[in-house]
Amino acid sequence: MTNFLLFKSVDDMPELPVSKATMSWNKTGSWRTLTPSHQKKTAPCNFNCPAGEDIRGYIELIRKEKWREAFELLTSANPMPSICGQVCFHPCQANCNRHSFDTEIKVRQLEASVGLWGTENHKQGKLPVVGKYRVAVVGAGPAGLSAAYYLRRKGVAVDLYDENEKAGGILEYGIPEYRLPRSLLHRELERVLEGVDFYPGKRVGRDVSSEDLAKYDAIFVATGAHKSKILSIKGEELDGVEAGLSFLKRLNAGAKIDLKDKAVIVVGGGNTAVDVARSAYRL
């Protein structure tokens, strides 16, 4: 039996697509030659995150106001989210799908917000040592801190050595204060170092011998990549010529650098070069 749809007026009728010509060119239905297939692919934000963060996952938790769960998911891949939220070059944002729609999601700011919440609210509690293993970590920069952080959460005892008086490596001695506030850095590192035995001012080969390290079950070497590239040109060994990282280390260590009324040339255009240029301008 046929059911008729009745409308009181033309205005009540919905818009309907009408073809004025044959649709035989559109080979669908019984004409098709391919079967649709479902392909699961990684979201570009997740795929382009060097730390392997589940960005979609913690943004969804933020949307539901589940800050604790978002913080725990984020720190399962990255122990220092508030720091990354300040200084990461955010390839996740650069590859966000929403670029073609309106604008990218501000992932870096969201990460910083989750990290700040964790610094202020998350209580780790006592981290027990499980088993007999003890690991030495040489270098308290981002890599060494990350290794120590995850080893402690696995119940492994960790001794962390660094030749500097403060932990952080390039975070403390390389990135300028205006880009990474030291108050934020130190609060984050205090949380990361929970349960870790940290020995500052201890240089391997001077204060710590190979015999000392041989007592450990494993050694994780994370001495960083602090050696600057040289141009191999005449004159770069003269007074007044300095590597960018060396300049930043002196500045961040509290050295008095007088550049007032002096001309400064910065060779290079990467992150270090821009940090040097902006720091020199502030001087």
Side-chain angles (χ1 to χ4, degrees):
M1 182 177 179
T2 302
N3 293 322
F4 293 97
L5 296 176
L6 301 177
F7 302 97
K8 293 180 179 180
S9 66
V10 174
D11 294 334
D12 293 334
M13 297 177 65
E15 293 185 0
L16 299 173
V18 177
S19 176
K20 294 183 179 180
T22 177
M23 291 294 293
S24 60
W25 59 270
N26 188 11
K27 301 187 186 303
T28 59
S30 60
W31 290 67
R32 74 178 186 197
T33 57
L34 297 176
T35 301
S37 62
H38 175 78
Q39 296 183 13
K40 186 176 180 180
K41 295 186 177 182
T42 305
C45 53
N46 288 25
F47 181 79
N48 288 282
C49 176
E53 296 173 6
D54 183 1
I55 295 171
R56 288 181 63 188
Y58 73 72
I59 288 179
E60 177 65 14
L61 291 169
I62 294 172
R63 189 181 69 82
K64 296 177 179 177
E65 299 186 6
K66 295 183 177 181
W67 289 91
R68 182 175 301 280
E69 292 85 347
F71 177 76
E72 290 174 351
L73 177 60
L74 180 49
T75 52
S76 68
N78 178 5
M80 296 173 278
S82 62
I83 294 173
C84 275
Q86 292 288 326
V87 302
C88 181
F89 61 100
H90 51 79
C92 51
Q93 285 184 207
N95 292 278
C96 180
N97 273 337
R98 291 196 67 90
H99 264 304
S100 58
F101 182 72
D102 43 25
T103 185
E104 75 279 358
I105 293 174
K106 305 301 181 184
V107 179
R108 195 175 78 170
Q109 287 88 331
L110 291 173
E111 181 176 18
S113 298
V114 174
L116 185 60
W117 183 95
T119 301
E120 296 177 347
N121 298 282
H122 191 267
K123 303 301 180 184
Q124 176 63 52
K126 188 175 181 179
L127 293 166
V129 175
V130 180
K132 62 180 181 179
Y133 296 111
R134 194 169 196 89
V135 174
V137 176
V138 180
L145 288 166
S146 298
Y149 178 86
Y150 290 118
L151 284 168
R152 280 302 292 117
R153 276 143 190 81
K154 291 287 187 180
V156 179
V158 177
D159 289 345
L160 175 63
Y161 298 97
D162 196 276
E163 65 177 345
N164 297 305
E165 293 302 322
K166 295 180 181 179
I170 204 72
L171 303 175
E172 176 72 43
Y173 296 99
I175 301 177
E177 165 81 20
Y178 70 84
R179 202 151 69 86
L180 180 59
R182 291 304 180 263
S183 58
L184 182 149
L185 171 64
H186 296 158
R187 288 173 65 190
E188 183 91 298
L189 294 187
E190 183 179 351
R191 178 183 58 78
V192 172
L193 287 170
E194 287 178 353
V196 176
D197 293 323
F198 177 47
Y199 298 94
K202 300 295 182 182
R203 183 183 179 92
V204 172
R206 181 189 67 194
D207 309 296
V208 182
S209 67
S210 57
E211 289 78 13
D212 294 328
L213 293 180
K215 299 174 184 177
Y216 291 92
D217 298 288
I219 305 168
F220 184 85
V221 180
T223 51
H226 294 243
K227 188 175 181 180
S228 299
K229 294 180 180 179
I230 60 174
L231 296 175
S232 298
I233 59 175
K234 184 179 180 180
E236 65 180 333
E237 74 287 346
L238 297 175
D239 291 340
V241 180
E242 185 176 12
L245 280 177
S246 172
F247 171 80
L248 291 173
K249 286 179 185 176
R250 290 199 299 122
L251 180 64
N252 290 325
K256 301 298 181 182
I257 301 176
D258 182 16
L259 294 180
K260 188 176 180 181
D261 300 325
K262 294 183 179 178
V264 177
I265 294 175
V266 179
V267 181
N271 289 337
T272 300
V274 174
D275 283 346
V276 168
R278 293 177 67 182
S279 296
Y281 183 76
R282 283 164 166 77
L283 295 171

